[in-house]
Amino acid sequence: MTSLPISLPDGFSPSIKAGDQVTSGQIIATRILNNDEIINIPKLLGIKRSHVKNVLKKSPGDLVKQGDIIAQKKSLLGTKSVALRSRVSGTILRYERDSGNLVIKTGASVNSDKENVISPVDGKAVLCNNNEIVLETNKEGIIGSKSVGGKGEGEVLVLLADDPYYLNTQTIGKIVVGESLTQEMLLKAIGIGVMGMIGTKVNDEDIELIQEKKFDMPILEITKESREQLIEWSGKKVFLDAESKSIVFLQL
């Protein structure tokens, strides 16, 4: 059995409970869309709540436009920084010190639209809360060491060499496995529509860049042993979740 942790973004609530059996494609969490954008600053920047006041660039009452920097963290040496940009336009409503949430009122009309999190596998829920759902499944899986991005699902395609040249039309919609993933490779993969990138080496500077640009393509660093497992799985489907650093083999 494999334990698959699925991280829930802010505002999502489980629609299942611990002990429930779930099937692939089933809705397991839901968020009601409203006219407030909630952004957890310490979680997204990887800092303590007590340090948020040092990185915030906007205050309650300030107007923001989509793409404006709302918080910015400098590296330890002060030579680089990670900027957190607003995905919406609106007004800063409040900063919640207890939770670390910055709330932006967008002025969008309130409606009953929903966003859902879908289970990628058949299994049993062993943990359910507003932060995470853990599914126990018969599917095999791999846990990586560091990651950035969102979620992706597709067939495994192993690159012949770590060269952007090999990222072509055949890799579109695939989960691509290489070794040392360069910045040029990652940006090209995002640009052409690769569903995810996995390698044995991803530079921290490149992860910071992808995080700063808010690209959603999942990128994961794994061990050489795990890469050998994926090579054997070439041509079959996997589910890749950067938040939980997990890969799940979907086909028997």
Side-chain angles (χ1 to χ4, degrees):
M1 300 291 283
T2 298
S3 290
L4 171 63
I6 300 175
S7 300
L8 298 182
D10 291 331
F12 277 86
S13 299
S15 52
I16 59 173
K17 62 183 182 300
D20 284 354
Q21 295 290 335
V22 300
T23 58
S24 177
Q26 179 179 337
I27 296 172
I28 57 175
T30 300
R31 175 170 64 181
I32 304 296
L33 299 179
N34 55 41
N35 59 346
D36 290 344
E37 175 79 0
I38 300 175
I39 304 165
N40 191 278
I41 304 293
K43 179 179 178 181
L44 291 175
L45 289 182
I47 60 176
K48 296 179 179 179
R49 288 198 299 270
S50 59
H51 293 170
V52 170
K53 62 182 179 181
N54 299 322
V55 302
L56 276 177
K57 299 299 180 183
K58 299 289 184 179
S59 302
D62 287 351
L63 296 176
V64 293
K65 294 180 180 179
Q66 185 177 5
D68 282 356
I69 295 175
I70 55 177
Q72 191 165 27
K73 179 186 74 170
K74 291 186 177 181
S75 64
L76 292 176
L77 298 178
T79 56
K80 291 188 177 182
S81 63
V82 177
L84 185 58
R85 298 179 182 272
S86 177
R87 299 180 300 179
V88 299
S89 297
T91 304
I92 303 294
L93 196 59
R94 63 183 180 275
Y95 173 69
E96 300 171 349
R97 289 186 176 86
D98 291 342
S99 65
N101 288 333
L102 183 74
V103 182
I104 302 175
K105 191 169 189 63
T106 65
S109 60
V110 178
N111 54 50
S112 58
D113 288 344
K114 296 180 179 179
E115 287 182 326
N116 299 316
V117 174
I118 305 298
S119 174
V121 295
D122 297 335
K124 179 181 179 181
V126 295
L127 174 68
C128 288
N129 57 46
N130 288 334
N131 297 315
E132 183 180 55
I133 293 175
V134 179
L135 301 178
E136 197 172 68
T137 176
N138 288 323
K139 305 291 187 183
E140 294 184 32
I142 293 171
I143 300 297
S145 55
K146 56 185 177 183
S147 62
V148 68
K151 298 176 174 62
E153 180 179 326
E155 293 181 0
V156 172
L157 187 148
V158 181
L159 290 181
L160 297 176
D162 291 333
D163 189 319
Y165 170 81
Y166 292 100
L167 290 165
N168 50 40
T169 55
Q170 294 182 345
T171 61
I172 295 173
K174 304 292 178 63
I175 301 293
V176 175
V177 179
E179 292 188 82
S180 181
L181 304 182
T182 65
Q183 183 180 120
E184 185 180 1
M185 290 174 63
L186 296 175
L187 293 177
K188 182 176 181 181
I190 292 167
I192 68 174
V194 170
M195 288 302 295
M197 292 286 288
I198 303 171
T200 56
K201 181 174 175 56
V202 186
N203 290 329
D204 291 339
E205 294 83 358
D206 296 333
I207 286 182
E208 288 185 3
L209 174 66
I210 301 302
Q211 186 177 36
E212 179 182 349
K213 297 293 184 182
K214 296 297 177 185
F215 292 127
D216 195 50
M217 185 190 76
I219 300 166
L220 183 63
E221 183 181 275
I222 59 173
T223 64
K224 293 181 179 179
E225 292 76 15
S226 295
R227 182 176 181 273
E228 292 300 316
Q229 284 183 265
L230 285 171
I231 290 175
E232 294 179 3
W233 204 255
S234 181
K236 299 179 182 179
K237 283 189 176 182
V238 297
F239 171 76
L240 173 57
D241 180 17
E243 280 199 84
S244 61
K245 300 181 176 64
S246 60
I247 305 167
V248 174
F249 300 120
L250 295 180
Q251 292 176 314
L252 295 177

